[in-house]
Amino acid sequence: TTCGKREGKSDMEKLIVSSSPHFNGGRTTQNIMLDVIIALVPAMVASVILFGFRAAGVILTCVATCVLSEYLCRRVMKRPQTVGDLSCVVTGILLALNLPVTINPLIAVFGGVVAIVVVKQLFGGLGYNFANPAIVGRIAMAMGFAGAMSNYPHPVNNIDAFASATPLAVAGEVGSDSYLTLLLGTHGGVLGETCAITILVGGLFLIGTKVISPTIPVTYLATVAVISLIAGRDPLVDLLSGGLLIGAFFMATDYATSP
């Protein structure tokens, strides 16, 4: 027995003490975030088609702000750079998809800084944030710039001159003939809430690639449908209107905050 231990490693030498996770499935934060970005591409493309190239400007502004904020914050705090994990890019995209296309770029910059610096980095970075950064960034913008955040333009050529209520605001007036409108997104709203079909496609992609489990989005949507039925409303209109779908698939499933 003694000779056997000398030839190989002892029991104590074989014991590895480390923090979780103890098993690695081969996935990294970077490729998970890349899958989320891919899942959001249909919604981004639809927003540009519906609202014009100004939508692309809002998305680029938010992403650039979030990336730069994370880079500078990590430099100032003298912590290892985490820009490469792409989580700040995801935050920028989600924040942009929660904004109307008419938003002032400076307000979008403010939201990005709040999301990354205040909500994410000051609490320790990815995995330590107490809430989804994009959600809190949007809340801060809604509290500070209520007028700009409640301007829901209709996807027509002259978007600056024509604002309208979202279908959720007039849900009692929306009939079954409007389901196609809700799916295609030809109605007023923020960039990521109008075209429901693109959010559904992105959500199914995340489930199919096992980036997220269907448990949270299905439970979330089913709960809304039941409450809608109890309230005597049209559950399809409630499910396809507003930011419900993007919240169910892309925000409620956030790894750090979903527990």
Side-chain angles (χ1 to χ4, degrees):
T1 305
T2 305
C3 292
K5 284 189 176 180
R6 285 176 180 173
E7 291 175 2
K9 292 183 178 180
S10 68
D11 290 341
M12 288 303 294
E13 288 175 321
K14 292 178 182 178
L15 182 62
I16 299 173
V17 180
S18 64
S19 63
S20 60
H22 302 292
F23 296 95
N24 192 319
R27 303 219 66 177
T28 64
T29 300
Q30 185 185 65
N31 61 43
I32 288 173
M33 293 300 165
L34 183 59
D35 279 346
V36 177
I37 293 170
I38 293 171
L40 288 167
V41 166
M44 289 190 282
V45 171
S47 71
V48 174
I49 293 173
L50 291 167
F51 296 104
F53 286 104
R54 184 167 177 171
V58 174
I59 295 170
L60 290 173
T61 298
C62 289
V63 170
T65 300
C66 289
V67 170
L68 185 60
S69 295
E70 179 143 333
Y71 174 79
L72 293 176
C73 213
R74 302 297 289 189
R75 283 290 300 271
V76 170
M77 293 179 173
K78 297 182 180 179
R79 294 175 178 172
Q81 276 300 331
T82 53
V83 171
D85 66 18
L86 301 180
S87 61
C88 54
V89 177
V90 171
T91 296
I93 295 173
L94 288 175
L95 179 63
L97 293 180
N98 274 276
L99 304 179
V101 71
T102 52
I103 196 72
N104 186 311
L106 292 178
I107 299 177
V109 169
F110 168 79
V113 171
V114 170
I116 295 296
V117 177
V118 179
V119 185
K120 186 180 179 184
Q121 294 302 330
L122 290 185
F123 282 87
L126 184 65
Y128 296 93
N129 44 292
F130 71 96
N132 185 293
I135 290 177
V136 180
R138 191 213 180 281
I139 291 171
M141 295 168 73
M143 293 176 64
F145 310 96
M149 291 292 290
S150 59
N151 179 32
Y152 303 116
H154 195 281
V156 293
N157 292 331
N158 190 13
I159 56 174
D160 287 321
F162 187 75
S164 65
T166 65
L168 192 61
V170 289
E173 304 169 19
V174 178
S176 59
D177 59 331
S178 299
Y179 295 151
L180 186 61
T181 296
L182 295 173
L183 282 170
L184 298 179
T186 52
H187 58 79
V190 299
L191 298 184
E193 75 176 4
T194 55
C195 191
I197 195 168
T198 59
I199 300 297
L200 287 169
V201 168
L204 291 174
F205 172 80
L206 292 182
I207 293 172
T209 53
K210 297 184 178 180
V211 172
I212 65 172
S213 164
T215 303
I216 290 176
V218 169
T219 304
Y220 191 84
L221 297 173
T223 302
V224 172
V226 170
I227 294 174
S228 181
L229 282 170
I230 293 173
R233 298 165 61 90
D234 186 337
L236 272 178
V237 171
D238 283 342
L239 290 174
L240 298 176
S241 302
L244 182 70
L245 290 177
I246 195 170
F249 287 107
F250 292 95
M251 292 185 167
T253 55
D254 176 56
Y255 285 179
T257 58
S258 59

